[in-house]
Amino acid sequence: CINGGTVSGTAGSCKCTCKSGYKGSSCETAINCTTAQFFDGTACLACPTYSSSTGGTATSCTCATNTYASKNGNTWTCANCTGGATKAASSVVPGTGGGEKQGDACSAPLNSDKAKEAQEKARKTRDDMIKSVTNAKLKKKAELLADAAISGKKVIKMSAKLTAQDEDIACSDYYSKAGLDASLGACIALVASRRRSIRRRLFAATTYDVSVFFSEAEVDEATLTSAGNSLKAKGVTGVETSDPIDPITELETIEGVDSSSLETFKTEAAAAAAFLIPPPPPHPPPLSTF
């Protein structure tokens, strides 16, 4: 065994146990991750979006400028500093503990008074715009869309078909089977079809078209991909993830949203978002390691 590997076994059936960073029957091959990957002790894994590594056998990735190390469950991401806040490229993922908080990691933005004034103005118009939305779930969706517009964030819709007794249970099942916290996003469940109980002549089960809207401020692409895979693994059908949705266009579809206030909000949201520093571009897809 070379490169520091150790031998075990008996004559005729020897085996090398390689040191971290090497592989092969004699530990002859150095593991060489790309700068879009990190080495977890076994294989090269993709760095989270907005991060990169030094390559080779680097065991972590560094978040880009104006992002910080965030953790949701067991998933590490590089979350954007919002509200125009800034940060040097120093946060490490995977990190330790429960991750960083924006208030601790990101510095107050330049022109913070003007940015705050623009955001408060847009939020006031937002509240007037959606005050006539009486359905609680639709109001949560409207708030998510409006806040995304104010912060300049993208919105993604994930769809699925779930059978449940009512729309609340359909949404609860979605989050449970997706492995996501129920506080994330805004869930809307609409009846797709019903199945009757022949014996009792009652609706025994209902299939719902479930749509959950997420702001990129809450979850990133990797988290959504993991959620989609989890749903499919649990037998959920119709699982799809949309291209980014324009928050203003989607707001127009919600019953109760005041159309005259929406036009004002559109202008004010754009002004508020203009104060924010755009997030760094995502790195290219990782190359194959072996």
Side-chain angles (χ1 to χ4, degrees), residues 48 69-78 92-100 220 222:
S70 176
K71 188 178 183 184
N72 179 24
N74 294 321
T75 302
W76 286 91
T77 61
C78 294
V92 172
V93 286
T96 58
E100 298 175 322
D220 64 2

Side-chain angles (χ1 to χ4, degrees), residues 100-237:
E100 298 175 322
K101 304 299 182 185
Q102 172 167 319
D104 298 327
C106 303
S107 301
L110 299 173
N111 299 319
S112 58
D113 290 341
K114 290 183 178 180
K116 183 177 180 181
E117 181 181 348
Q119 290 165 6
E120 288 178 348
K121 186 176 181 180
R123 290 188 184 112
K124 184 178 184 302
T125 302
R126 172 202 64 187
D127 294 342
D128 291 337
M129 176 181 66
I130 66 175
K131 66 183 179 182
S132 296
V133 180
T134 56
N135 181 284
K137 290 184 181 296
L138 286 178
K139 178 162 279 191
K140 184 177 181 181
K141 174 186 172 182
E143 289 176 346
L144 181 145
L145 293 167
D147 290 343
I150 292 170
S151 60
K153 298 297 182 184
K154 296 177 182 177
V155 173
I156 301 295
K157 180 178 76 172
M158 181 176 282
S159 304
K161 288 186 179 294
L162 287 156
T163 301
Q165 292 176 324
D166 57 45
E167 61 182 76
D168 289 334
I169 294 176
C171 284
S172 177
D173 285 352
Y174 167 86
Y175 283 107
S176 175
K177 292 179 179 180
L180 294 174
D181 191 296
S183 65
L184 297 173
C187 180
I188 305 295
L190 300 176
V191 174
S193 63
R194 285 191 171 99
R195 185 173 71 245
R196 289 179 181 270
S197 167
I198 298 176
R199 175 178 288 181
R200 297 187 180 182
R201 297 182 180 277
L202 296 174
F203 291 122
T206 302
T207 299
Y208 287 90
D209 287 325
V210 177
S211 298
V212 187
F213 297 82
F214 296 99
S215 167
E216 67 174 348
E218 296 180 307
V219 296
D220 64 2
E221 185 178 346
T223 301
L224 290 179
T225 299
S226 177
N229 290 338
S230 179
L231 287 165
K232 292 174 183 177
K234 291 178 172 62
V236 177
T237 61

Side-chain angles (χ1 to χ4, degrees), residues 53-88:
S53 73
T54 56
T57 57
T59 57
S60 62
C61 307
T62 300
C63 292
T65 301
N66 302 328
T67 65
Y68 61 96
S70 176
K71 188 178 183 184
N72 179 24
N74 294 321
T75 302
W76 286 91
T77 61
C78 294
N80 294 310
C81 296
T82 60
T86 60
K87 186 183 183 305

